[in-house]
Amino acid sequence: MRLDDLPTPCLVLDRGILKRNIDTMARRLARHGVPLRPHMKTAKSIDVARLAIAGQPGGITVSTLAEAEYFASHGITDILYAVGITPQKLDRVARLNSAGAGVIVLTDDPDTAGAIAAHGRPPRALIEIDCGEGRGGVFPGDDLLLAIAARLGPCLAGVMTHAGHSYAGRSAKDMARIAEAERAGVVCAAGRLREAGHPGPIVSMGSSPTALHARHLDGVTEVRAGVYMLGDLFQAEIGTNDLDAIALTVLTSVIGRRPGRLLVDAGGLALSKDRSTADAPRDYGFGLVLDPAGRRSHGDAIVRRAYQEHGVVEADPGFPLDLPVGARLRIAPNHTCMTAAAHDRYFVVEGSDEIVAIWPRVNGW
Amino acid sequence: MRLDDLPTPCLVLDRGILKRNIDTMARRLARHGVPLRPHMKTAKSIDVARLAIAGQPGGITVSTLAEAEYFASHGITDILYAVGITPQKLDRVARLNSAGAGVIVLTDDPDTAGAIAAHGRPPRALIEIDCGEGRGGVFPGDDLLLAIAARLGPCLAGVMTHAGHSYAGRSAKDMARIAEAERAGVVCAAGRLREAGHPGPIVSMGSSPTALHARHLDGVTEVRAGVYMLGDLFQAEIGTNDLDAIALTVLTSVIGRRPGRLLVDAGGLALSKDRSTADAPRDYGFGLVLDPAGRRSHGDAIVRRAYQEHGVVEADPGFPLDLPVGARLRIAPNHTCMTAAAHDRYFVVEGSDEIVAIWPRVNGW
């Protein structure tokens, strides 16, 4: 099967680029002697996970319990569910752990910590630390940290933070500064817990930009990152990946022609409505238009508008885009996590137009 | 099973509201004596389709071939695939039609019209007319219309237009004006075809706003509309539905607390990144926060930010939102077509918190 045989729209994953991205991250972290717990929320695929954990301890991070169940069913047992847990979800975690998994949960709430400790089959838990993102987590110096630790008791497994605000950085220097604040915040929290007599072996930090740009990771026991595997236009804008290191594209067909633009069958569902690059130095609309081989033959043509099933491609005036209905294009996405989630599988290529594998994804909750 | 038993995030569909919305549209169109070919791109559910076609001729509109295959497998045969066809997709249509369906395709391209007519099992086809939206279609007065008709030959089944630009309207008067331009455009195109000797019995127009607000539909043989069934915040802003006629919400759990805001487990995947209301009179962020019974107990609280799996709810200062982790909320969506697409089923309620049915959806392509 070749690219031309695929129904459109669909996801095309370049395994060569994927492997290079995974290798780059592994080498960067090896300099610091800190292992990776790859975040599978982007790829949601056991085939990608196997590549990402090669040479690492073997644990992963997930963003849904559906992912935890899927990866556990494929033999991965060390799983961090890195979204705040609710008491109601503990039974589902317990079923996985009773069947042999070791799902670790996350909280920043004393009452939830109490519910974890009181559960009939309590999981290990991390306390979420806010290192400046302002989303979830307690501040490292907040007494709430010690209160939660006390409620967790023997369930306490450590601390975790996520510098999601690194996405507001625009240079390697910005990222190094944010990475240091992330590291210092979570290490400080871990130190306060130890001083108070709470053991907590895991000190976990990470986001793709801070994982790549951190100058040192002293005191950190593991790094989490996910989007680096596939890359996207927004990550290119903030320096995580080069434009030619985007492993994921959406294959699409031309379905209409007008002067200076084309209609394609990749719209808001196939690409997502994510507009991350609207605030980046370069705004790519709903995606950058590539030729069927993934090359930039069409200059700066982008998907300017996205309806449910229609994308409107605006040509770069320097690169006329005179293609017939049925011609194929590939669209590099703004935000690969969001784009991939509308699709149930990857069509995998490596250096040619031959489909070398089909890898399923686990969507939903 | 009750709402409290459901895993979050998930879709909750209120069947009572759904039925009222379907009834309202049917009564509006009955005034004009024009039947409805409901667009199933929003609901993507055979259970919803059965309600929507009751009392109508029985044909539907779809936006993907996956929908066409799904609805055909459930016994609906008269299916308009209302997105421009490519030559490569004709085999898939032919397989459906050989098995007993009557899938009608759409084109605005002479070469594609030629490919349709030359196919071994050619489907019937409509010519897409641009009535001012500026997306797909030929203008009613363009000679291209006659060229495409000539290429289609006996496959020509009529004309179709979609006033998607009605979404830029902000009043019933705007909508009535756009509806009349939509009607006049498609009726003019049909007349030109008849004058040139091309029979084309179908004269199809529609969007939810223009279907509701048209003053007359002379010359039109069918109306298409879809989002009116479920409704959403954007459609409320443009007058298609009242706020209390939104049948679809996302059930979510509180996963974190901070002063003045909550974290919930409905983020950009569960709600979509659609920001339609950003350009409406009232900007609802990523959705309006309702209580578990679907009431506006929290005033103007909205989901202000959406990460992949985290939503940040900003409280309305007049309505404190002091809820524990694990508490439930429901979120009314900006754009119901986009929000529903991340989920594989509806949990159906009707007048209480009891789940009276689970209805699957057909996603993907």
Side-chain angles (χ1 to χ4, degrees), chain A residues 94-168:
Chain A
R95 279 194 292 277
L96 276 174
N97 288 351
S98 294
V103 177
I104 304 168
V105 301
L106 181 70
T107 190
D108 65 1
D109 179 66
D111 291 338
T112 306
I116 292 168
H119 195 272
R121 200 189 193 295
R124 294 201 299 157
L126 302 185
I127 301 176
E128 185 172 8
I129 306 300
D130 186 345
C131 63
E133 182 179 29
R135 186 173 76 181
V138 298
F139 293 110
D142 194 324
D143 282 346
L144 198 55
L145 174 71
L146 302 177
I148 297 170
R151 298 287 292 271
L152 282 173
C155 297
L156 179 66
V159 285
M160 174 200 123
T161 196
H162 169 59
H165 56 305
S166 61
Y167 286 24

Side-chain angles (χ1 to χ4, degrees), chain A residues 200-282:
Chain A
I202 299 175
V203 183
S204 179
M205 69 171 263
S207 73
S208 288
T210 56
L212 285 170
H213 293 288
R215 298 213 170 114
H216 75 98
L217 293 172
D218 297 355
V220 169
T221 66
E222 64 177 40
V223 166
R224 306 178 322 283
V227 72
Y228 73 94
M229 300 177 208
L230 304 185
D232 59 34
L233 294 168
F234 180 75
Q235 296 297 329
E237 286 294 294
I238 66 172
T240 306
N241 56 257
D242 292 333
L243 266 185
D244 62 4
I246 298 176
L248 183 93
T249 51
V250 174
L251 184 71
T252 186
S253 294
V254 174
I255 59 169
R257 299 148 45 89
R258 286 282 187 95
R261 60 189 166 84
L262 296 172
L263 275 181
V264 295
D265 65 3
L269 284 188
L271 297 172
S272 100
K273 285 285 188 96
D274 191 279
R275 289 281 292 113
S276 305
T277 62
D279 300 320
R282 169 90 193 271

Side-chain angles (χ1 to χ4, degrees), chain B residues 288-301 316 318-321 329:
Chain B
L288 175 66
V289 175
L290 309 173
D291 71 16
R295 295 170 307 218
R296 294 194 60 188
S297 305
H298 302 294
D300 289 339
D316 177 340
F319 295 79
L321 197 62
L329 292 167

Side-chain angles (χ1 to χ4, degrees), chain B residues 139-176:
Chain B
F139 294 110
D142 194 325
D143 282 346
L144 198 55
L145 175 70
L146 301 177
I148 296 168
R151 297 287 292 271
L152 282 173
C155 297
L156 180 66
V159 285
M160 172 199 125
T161 196
H162 169 60
H165 56 305
S166 62
Y167 286 24
R170 291 292 178 268
S171 66
K173 195 175 162 191
D174 283 350
M175 296 309 179

